[in-house]
């Protein structure tokens, strides 16, 4: 496994791979790797001849400096984990390497970055678009892998690829959950014991809401979910929305819409948890 710190060194290695006609997979991460990430790495390793995992805590996507400071950083453990998975190349740039100067680009993401997470975290998705476009430029991957846990991010990255006219495939990977249903996330380590014990309630509520979609309207489901969280004093429901998977437009009635996503965000002490359930 080779760890590169600069775009130039990485490009030299990747140019040779590309010139020999081989496919390159990219798994972008912010580190603090868990089984959600390793599932992306396994999928990417199986579908590409070379694989790059990037580890970079991107400052431009944090609108809260405390969140950026507290974001878990476990580089040595991450590298050990990737080594044990036979990853070829890891890219661990510095902030200066990725942002030698301020990035003032704003991406026209339509309404996609205004709803759901976008309402709570102004500028977050523009920051994601900035770094992901830079990583795509540095790696020029054949395929890039993103988890469905950050569903809105996935939709936005698909839009970004179209916007920038990039010839690469975005591969969506299913949410990996703990045995009790909590979606894996690097932020989960910041939950207190009590919060961690209560956290599966989020996924359980989503599943019950899906069951109820046979008999209740979207509006009725929304108020049912809201009422469930009223009985949970430690959890503050930020939003629960029912949206279409392609464009995140709110669903007002079931009609013949087939691809529906329940999206939820819950503030839990200092930690924000997001989760979703996709109906296929
Ligand atoms: O999902 C993440 O971990 C980050 O948003 C990403 C895609 C690596 C960009 O920093």
């Amino acid at each position: 496994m080779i760890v590169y710190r600069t775009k130039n060194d990485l490009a030299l290695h990747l140019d040779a791979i590309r010139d020999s006609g081989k496919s390159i997979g990219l798994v972008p991460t912010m580190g603090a790797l868990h089984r959600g990430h390793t599932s992306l790495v396994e999928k990417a390793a199986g579908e590409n001849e070379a694989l790059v995992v990037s580890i970079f805590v991107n400052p431009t996507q944090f609108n809260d400096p405390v969140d950026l400071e507290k974001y878990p950083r476990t580089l040595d453990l991450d590298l050990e984990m990737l080594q044990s998975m036979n990853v070829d190349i890891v890219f661990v740039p510095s902030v200066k390497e990725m942002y030698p100067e301020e990035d003032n680009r704003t991406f026209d993401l339509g309404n996609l970055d205004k709803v759901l997470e976008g309402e709570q975290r102004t500028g977050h998705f523009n920051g994601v678009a900035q770094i992901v476009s830079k990583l795509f430029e540095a790696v020029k991957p054949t395929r890039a892998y993103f988890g469905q846990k950050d569903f809105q991010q996935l939709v936005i990255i698909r839009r970004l690829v179209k916007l920038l006219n990039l010839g690469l495939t975005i591969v969506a990977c299913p949410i990996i959950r703990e045995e009790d249903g909590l979606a894996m996330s690097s932020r989960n380590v910041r939950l207190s014991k009590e919060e961690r014990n209560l956290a599966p309630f989020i996924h359980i509520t989503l599943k019950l809401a899906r069951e109820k979609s046979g008999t209740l309207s979207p509006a009725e489901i929304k108020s049912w979910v809201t009422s469930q969280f009223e009985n949970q004093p430690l959890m503050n429901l930020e939003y629960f929305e029912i949206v279409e998977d392609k464009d995140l437009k709110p669903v007002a009635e079931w009609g013949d819409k087939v691809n529906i996503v329940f999206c939820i965000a819950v503030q839990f002490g200092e930690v924000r948890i997001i989760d979703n359930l996709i109906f296929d």
Side-chain angles (χ1 to χ4, degrees):
M1 185 172 87
I2 310 176
V3 179
Y4 287 112
R5 307 260 172 190
T6 69
K7 288 179 278 183
N8 273 350
D9 291 345
L10 176 71
L12 282 176
H13 187 144
L14 293 179
D15 284 350
I17 293 178
R18 222 175 286 105
D19 289 349
S20 64
K22 290 185 176 158
S23 57
I24 300 172
L26 168 65
V27 179
T29 81
M30 297 207 296
L33 303 181
H34 49 70
R35 273 199 291 124
H37 296 110
T38 56
S39 74
L40 304 184
V41 170
E42 275 161 14
K43 188 159 172 62
E47 295 179 351
N48 298 279
E49 286 151 297
L51 171 60
V52 181
V53 177
S54 64
I55 300 179
F56 179 67
V57 181
N58 172 39
T60 71
Q61 70 188 75
F62 286 81
N63 49 348
D64 174 0
V66 178
D67 194 24
L68 172 61
E69 193 196 311
K70 292 206 168 161
Y71 198 84
R73 289 162 172 89
T74 55
L75 184 60
D76 291 345
L77 287 175
D78 294 346
L79 293 177
E80 256 176 51
M81 189 187 273
L82 296 174
Q83 175 98 55
S84 72
M85 297 183 76
N86 298 323
V87 169
D88 314 317
I89 304 166
V90 186
F91 182 44
V92 191
S94 64
V95 173
K96 202 149 191 265
E97 179 66 15
M98 293 317 281
Y99 295 101
E101 61 233 16
E102 206 179 324
D103 190 344
N104 291 318
R105 292 174 300 160
T106 48
F107 294 87
D108 179 6
L109 302 166
N111 215 33
L112 296 180
D113 62 339
K114 316 272 181 314
V115 295
L116 305 170
E117 287 299 288
E119 271 187 48
Q120 318 285 331
R121 305 171 74 188
T122 315
H124 164 68
F125 289 113
N126 198 62
V128 170
Q130 287 175 340
I131 191 60
V132 170
S133 63
K134 281 172 182 275
L135 290 169
F136 286 168
E137 174 59 30
V139 177
K140 300 185 181 61
T142 320
R143 300 179 190 86
Y145 295 76
F146 294 88
Q148 279 174 332
K149 168 156 178 300
D150 295 303
F151 188 77
Q152 187 171 10
Q153 170 173 279
L154 178 66
V155 175
I156 284 177
I157 286 165
R158 289 209 160 107
R159 169 71 62 92
L160 182 72
V161 167
K162 275 201 189 131
L163 203 65
L164 302 180
N165 217 358
L166 304 174
L168 71 110
T169 304
I170 299 299
V171 183
C173 303
I175 298 177
I176 304 295
R177 297 184 181 279
E178 304 284 357
E179 269 181 26
D180 58 15
L182 176 63
M184 291 203 180
S185 161
S186 304
R187 287 187 166 87
N188 290 353
V189 293
R190 292 178 54 207
L191 292 169
S192 71
K193 210 167 171 209
E194 189 183 12
E195 288 162 353
R196 174 62 192 84
N197 288 339
L198 287 170
F201 178 80
I202 299 167
H203 180 55
I204 291 169
T205 307
L206 288 182
K207 282 199 301 186
L208 287 173
R210 180 179 55 192
E211 275 171 32
K212 288 179 183 296
S213 65
T215 48
L216 299 184
S217 70
E220 286 167 334
I221 290 197
K222 280 179 75 169
S223 52
W224 179 79
V225 169
T226 307
S227 70
Q228 296 306 295
F229 280 89
E230 276 157 13
N231 303 325
Q232 291 292 335
L234 291 182
M235 297 189 201
N236 180 27
L237 177 66
E238 278 193 3
Y239 63 77
F240 168 77
E241 295 292 345
I242 305 176
V243 298
E244 290 184 49
D245 72 335
K246 293 274 175 299
D247 51 16
L248 306 179
K249 287 211 174 105
V251 172
E253 51 190 73
W254 298 127
D256 56 3
K257 294 185 184 75
V258 280
N259 294 317
I260 291 202
V261 193
F262 286 175
C263 295
I264 195 164
V266 176
Q267 184 73 39
F268 216 173
E270 285 194 340
V271 186
R272 254 180 116 248
I273 293 190
I274 59 168
D275 200 348
N276 64 71
L277 204 62
I278 305 169
F279 291 42
D280 47 20

